[in-house]
Amino acid sequence: MRERPLGRSRFSQRLDRLTPLLMITPSVILIAIFVYVFIGYTGYVSLTKWYGVVPDYTWAGLSQYEQLFQLERFQADISNTIRFTFLFLIASIGIGFAAAVLLDQKLRGTIFFQNVFLFPLAISFVVTGTIWRWLFNPNQGLNLLFGALHLDFLKSGWLIDTRTALYSLVIAATWQMSGFCMAMFLAGLRSVPDDLREAARVDGATEFRVYQFVILPLLRPIILSAIIILGHISLKIFDLVFVMTFGGPGYSTDMPGLYMFIATFRQNLYARGAAIATVLLLMVAVLIVPYLIWNLREEPER
Amino acid sequence: MSVATARAARKPFSLSLVRVVMYALLLVLAIFYLLPIYVLLVTSFKSFAEVARSTPWQIPTLPTLADYTAAFSALAPSFVNTVLLVVPATLISALLGSLNGYVLAKWRFRGANVVFTLLLFGMFIPYQSILLPLVLTLERVGLYGTIPGLILTHIVYGIPITTLIFRNYYATVPGEMIEAARMDGASIFNVYRYVMFPLSIPGFVVVMIWQFTSIWNEFLFAVTITSGDQAPITVALNGLAGSLQQNYGIQMAGALLTALPPLVIYIVLGRYFIRGLLAGSLKG
C-alpha cells in the first residue's frame, strides 16, 4: 500500500527535476541550429568558390575576402557604413538627449511631446522610407517648403545627388530612431534622485553645472548603451536603404547589408554574399559581445 | 502647479524666459517629427491631378478617398497575409519566451547564464549571416516562399527577445510564492501553470505588443522568403511604390494603411510598447 505511491513519486520527482531542462530544450535546439549552425554554414560557404545556382563547395581559402576588400563597391560600402553610423549616432543621441532634458523639466504638455517624439518607432522602416522619399523629391516636398520660406540655400538634390544621398538617409533614420535615445535618456533622468540635484543647487551650482557634474556622469552607462544599440542597428541597416535608394546613385548609399542581399539573391554570387555576411557579423560582434558580457556581469544578484 | 507658481514668483523674469525658450525648442522638435505625417495625410487625400500640381504643403482643395480605395484594393491581400503571419508568430514566440524566462529566472541549472547569453546573442546578429542557410533549409522542407515559412522564421528569431523580457519580468516575482506552492506539493511545471502563468498577463502584454509591432514592420525576412501573393504588407507597399513611381497619393495612402495597426497599438498601449523597447537595450 505504501510502496506504490512512493515509487511513483520517486519517478515523478526525477521527472520534476528534469522539467526545467525539458521546458527550455525546444528553444535551445532551435537557436543552436538557426543561429549557430547557420552562422557556421555561412562562414563555410564564404571559404568556397560557390557562384551560380548549383552549390560548389570547392575550397577557396580566404580568396573571397581578398577579392571583396579590393572591390570598389565593397570599399564604398565600408566607408558608407562608417560615415552613416557616425552621423546617425551623433544626430540621434544629440536630439534624443536634448528632447529628454526638455521633457524632464516637468513642463505642461510633456506627455503630448513625448508621444510625438516616440511614435515613429512604432512604424516600419518601409513606411518611413516611402514618406521621406516623397519629402526628398527635388520637385516636391522639402525643396518647395524651403522655397516658400525663402530658405533657398537649404534646397538640395537630396537622394538623387551622390554628395547628399547619404545625409538624406541619415535624416530619415534619425527621424525614426532618435525617440529611442530619448526614451533611454528619459528613463535615466527620471531615476536620478531629486535630492541629488537639490543638494547641488543648494551648494550654489547653476542648472547647467548640475547637468555637467551630477547628471551626465550618472547617465554615462546609458550613453554607452545607446551607442551600442543604435550602432549595431546602424551597421545592419537594410530596409531604409532598400526602399529609399537601393544603394544609389552609384554606390553612394550602398551598405554591406544591402550588397549581401544583392550579391546572394540577385547575382547568385553565393560565396561572395557569405563573405560579406561574415564581415558584417564580425563588425556587429565586436560591438555586441563585450556589451553582453558587461550586462551579465552587472546583475550577479539575480 | 502651485509649486510652479511659487518658483515663478521667486524668479519671475528669467524663469519665464527659460520656459519660453524650452517650449520653442520642444515645438521645433515636434514640427520635425510631425511634418512628414502632415504631408502624408494631405497628399493621401489629393487627386492624381492635384498631386501633379506640385503643391505638397497645401490642404487638398477637393479631398477625395480615391487614393485610399486604390491603395486598399492593391494592399488588401497582403494585409491579410500579414495578419495570418503576425498572430501565430506572436502567440507562439511569446509562449516559448515565457517557458524559457520562467526556467532562466527561477530554476537556474548549471550553465544557465551561458545558455542565456548565447540565446541573447541571437537577437543582435545581422540576419544576413543566416539568410542563405535559412532559405536553403526552408526550400528543403517545402516552406520557402510561403507564409508558414515566414511564421517559423519569426518564431525562432523572436525567442531571444521574448525570453529576455519574461526572464526579467519573472525575476520580480518573489521566490516565496514558488516555495509555498512547492511545499504544497506542486511540480515545477504546475508551479508555472498555476502560479507563474496567471501572474504573467503584464509580461505577455509587453511581449506580444513588441512582437506584433516588430513582425508587422519587418522587411528583410519578408522580402527574402516571400513574393507575389504570399508577400506581407511591407513588401507589397514597397512594390506599390515601385510600380507607381509618380502616383504619390496612392503611395501615401498605402503607407498609412501599412502603419495603421502598429500605430493604433502604440496610441492605445504606448506604455507597454516603450517597456518592450527599453527591454531590447538590456538595461531597461
Side-chain angles (χ1 to χ4, degrees), chain B residues 102-121:
Chain B
Y102 167 63
V103 172
L104 289 169
K106 294 299 180 196
W107 301 102
R108 321 200 52 184
F109 47 91
R110 275 184 60 190
N113 255 343
V114 177
V115 169
F116 181 54
T117 309
L118 288 172
L119 280 184
L120 277 190
F121 183 64

Side-chain angles (χ1 to χ4, degrees), chain B residues 206-226:
Chain B
V206 172
V207 164
M208 285 170 62
I209 286 176
W210 182 254
Q211 282 299 90
F212 179 94
T213 315
S214 318
I215 300 170
W216 189 284
N217 292 337
E218 202 273 341
F219 185 66
L220 175 59
F221 285 140
V223 77
T224 308
I225 294 172
T226 62

Side-chain angles (χ1 to χ4, degrees), chain A residues 16 27 34 36 38 42 108 115 118 122 124 133-134 137 141 144 175 178 236 257 291 296 298-299 302, chain B residues 23 33 39 43 54 57 100 108 117-118 124 128-129 157 167 182 188 217 241 248 251 262 266 281 283:
Chain A
D16 198 41
S27 300
F34 280 75
Y36 293 96
F38 280 11
T42 302
R108 275 180 165 217
N115 284 327
L118 281 172
S124 172
R133 213 176 32 202
W134 169 228
N137 182 320
L144 289 183
W175 179 80
S178 50
K236 298 195 291 195
Y291 183 66
L296 220 75
E298 286 222 331
E299 49 165 44
R302 263 182 193 166
Chain B
Y23 271 117
Y33 288 105
V39 180
T43 307
S54 291
W57 301 95
N100 301 337
R108 321 200 52 184
T117 309
L118 288 172
F124 294 108
Q128 279 86 351
S129 63
Y157 296 104
R167 176 181 173 273
R182 292 289 282 167
I188 288 181
N217 292 337
Y248 283 105
Q251 286 184 36
Y266 170 73
S281 68
K283 294 257 159 205

Side-chain angles (χ1 to χ4, degrees), chain B residues 139-152:
Chain B
E139 259 173 359
R140 183 156 299 182
V141 297
L143 290 177
Y144 178 70
T146 69
I147 292 290
L150 205 49
I151 293 175
L152 174 69

